[in-house]
Amino acid sequence: MKPLPVIGACCAPGAQPIAADDAQALADRFKALADPTRVAIVNRLAGADEVCVCDLVEDFELSQPTISHHLRLLREAGLVEAERRGTWAYYRLVPEAIDGLRVALAG
Amino acid sequence: MKPLPVIGACCAPGAQPIAADDAQALADRFKALADPTRVAIVNRLAGADEVCVCDLVEDFELSQPTISHHLRLLREAGLVEAERRGTWAYYRLVPEAIDGLRVALAG
DNA sequence: CGGTTTCATCGACAGGTGTCAATCTACCAG
DNA sequence: CTGGTAGATTGACACCTGTCGATGAAACCG
């Protein structure tokens, strides 16, 4: 798991050149949001403190493995984090990660 | 070419639920930034008013068709726009499109 | 203990994506 | 008109990705 690198402004007028590594790291995080299901999951998590996986499986009309797959990608990108409590797993947003992307889009 | 739909906050704590269409539209625009070369191109365009395609082909060590391909994806996502002057083509950032993404990431 | 539930992982498959060489289409200079 | 240059398009290829069914792993219940 990467330590969630902090990348400065890059994509609005006036931004300074960024290194190839940073472009790669940014692309990786944007890739996590490059799917409508994952955008919807993030949106769902943004509306509550935490959400049980079982609720996500009910909300979206996708198989449980597919939801699990998307959650993993979001987790690996550092955008969400999971906590296991007994039989259930609860997912939360990582606001700092979203902030990081917003900052990167600034000028 | 889509009319660049405006989508409200979606991905930070406190955001309201968004429609499936909006999740799709957002994912499409994030997908345009889900590649390191395209992030670097956007960063390059952010540092100048406009950039000639010939300069991009020189800067990045990729073939001219590949650069052209990435520019098309960015254009179709509405993140950049092109202007043809004589033999050369000049690309510019569309700041409103970047702003739209930044707003979507807000809470 | 055995059975059930929740979630993650695996294997497979169709469709999408990044890349390049080759080609095509303006446009400009003689 | 001829030749040269800039950029877009095409075709091909390897690789990645979203999806599902089947299986595994861990916790709970009776």
Side-chain angles (χ1 to χ4, degrees):
Chain A
M1 196 69 58
K2 289 153 297 182
L4 199 56
V6 175
I7 302 171
C10 83
C11 299
Q16 296 300 310
I18 61 175
D21 289 353
D22 289 345
Q24 177 70 63
L26 263 181
D28 285 342
R29 279 200 265 171
F30 281 128
K31 198 178 303 183
L33 292 176
D35 178 276
T37 298
R38 291 197 291 274
V39 168
I41 289 178
V42 167
N43 176 243
R44 181 81 168 70
L45 295 181
D49 274 2
E50 60 183 13
V51 177
C52 177
V53 173
C54 56
D55 290 336
L56 293 175
V57 172
E58 282 201 350
D59 289 2
F60 301 92
E61 299 195 343
L62 290 171
S63 73
Q64 175 266 321
T66 298
I67 296 290
S68 208
H69 167 69
H70 286 306
L71 287 173
R72 168 152 77 159
L73 294 185
L74 288 171
R75 219 182 329 126
E76 289 176 349
L79 297 183
V80 311
E81 59 189 4
E83 184 186 348
R84 194 107 194 204
R85 286 205 298 274
T87 309
W88 293 273
Y90 297 88
Y91 276 75
R92 256 189 310 276
L93 212 60
V94 177
E96 301 79 28
I98 306 288
D99 282 352
L101 284 181
R102 221 181 54 239
V103 167
L105 289 178
Chain B
M1 196 68 59
K2 289 154 295 181
L4 199 56
V6 175
I7 301 170
C10 84
C11 299
Q16 296 299 309
I18 61 175
D21 289 354
D22 289 344
Q24 177 71 63
L26 261 182
D28 285 344
R29 278 200 266 171
F30 281 127
K31 198 178 304 185
L33 292 177
D35 178 276
T37 298
R38 292 198 289 275
V39 169
I41 290 177
V42 167
N43 175 244
R44 181 81 167 70
L45 295 182
D49 275 2
E50 61 183 12
V51 177
C52 176
V53 174
C54 56
D55 291 334
L56 293 175
V57 173
E58 281 202 350
D59 288 4
F60 302 92
E61 299 196 342
L62 290 172
S63 73
Q64 175 267 320
T66 299
I67 296 291
S68 207
H69 167 68
H70 287 305
L71 286 173
R72 168 152 77 161
L73 294 185
L74 287 171
R75 220 185 325 128
E76 287 175 351
L79 297 183
V80 310
E81 60 188 5
E83 183 188 348
R84 193 106 194 206
R85 287 206 297 274
T87 309
W88 293 273
Y90 296 87
Y91 277 75
R92 256 189 310 274
L93 213 59
V94 177
E96 301 79 28
I98 306 288
D99 282 352
L101 285 181
R102 223 182 52 239
V103 167
L105 289 178

